[in-house]
Amino acid sequence: MRAFFRRTAALVAFVALLWAVQVVNWIFGYGLNPAFGLIPRHVSGLDGVIAMPLLHGSFAHLMANTPPLLVMGGLLVATTTRALLAVNAVVIGLGGGLVWLFGSSAIHIGASGLVFGWFGFLVARGLVDRSPITLGAALVVGVLYGSLLWGVFPGQPSVSWEAHLFGALAGAAAAFLVRTHVHVPRLGGVDLD
């Protein structure tokens, strides 16, 4: 139970950090975005692979990302033991790396790539693990945030659909690459095809 509370505290601290960074960024006229945002195929923008989730373009931008971060982060905290760092490393590293390689020429910022990564991980992990808990988490995420899938297509100006797409793909890859421990039996004889 202590581990659960530590993970929950880490999630709350991460969201608080996002808001603190947003305040500092706002004070400096959003100067952190061009300095630390992800700029595809530029060495100077490579640090944005890690910094991108911390930066936002406005308070409304961060406000839009906060509820799914808390909901999906809460599901991760409740269902993933000892693998949170590895899952986040794959989502941020692989997803951000793919945006850096293939993204449009712009400054990519925001935690929505992380949101899509967690979405992809939770849904794919439900299908991979087939335990009642992971299937339940996949169902909750699918019902609450299934409409997020429209965000992986280009169309909205000033929205990094590439971060959404590559985040979701990286999250799904993490479900296959990172073995998570859910201490419940798998469902046997369930055909998910």
Side-chain angles (χ1 to χ4, degrees), residues 126-145:
L127 300 174
V128 169
D129 286 349
R130 291 180 296 162
S131 76
I133 289 179
T134 59
L135 282 171
L139 181 65
V140 167
V141 168
V143 168
L144 291 177
Y145 294 106

Side-chain angles (χ1 to χ4, degrees), residues 25 29-42 44-49 51-53 55-57 61 99-100 103-112 157-163:
N25 202 7
Y30 294 97
L32 298 179
N33 293 349
F36 298 104
L38 190 152
I39 303 170
R41 295 167 301 284
H42 287 103
S44 63
L46 195 54
D47 57 352
V49 168
M52 178 175 65
L55 303 169
H56 290 82
H61 183 200
V99 173
W100 189 82
S104 62
S105 295
I107 299 171
H108 297 261
I109 55 168
S112 58
S158 301
V159 172
S160 177
W161 65 271
E162 300 100 323

Side-chain angles (χ1 to χ4, degrees), residues 52-99:
M52 178 175 65
L54 303 174
L55 303 169
H56 290 82
S58 67
F59 283 97
H61 183 200
L62 179 54
M63 181 61 75
N65 282 331
T66 298
L69 282 170
L70 290 171
V71 170
M72 286 188 249
L75 287 169
L76 282 171
V77 162
T79 64
T80 305
T81 61
R82 286 175 266 170
L84 284 172
L85 289 177
V87 168
N88 285 314
V90 171
V91 168
I92 291 169
L94 180 59
L98 289 170
V99 173

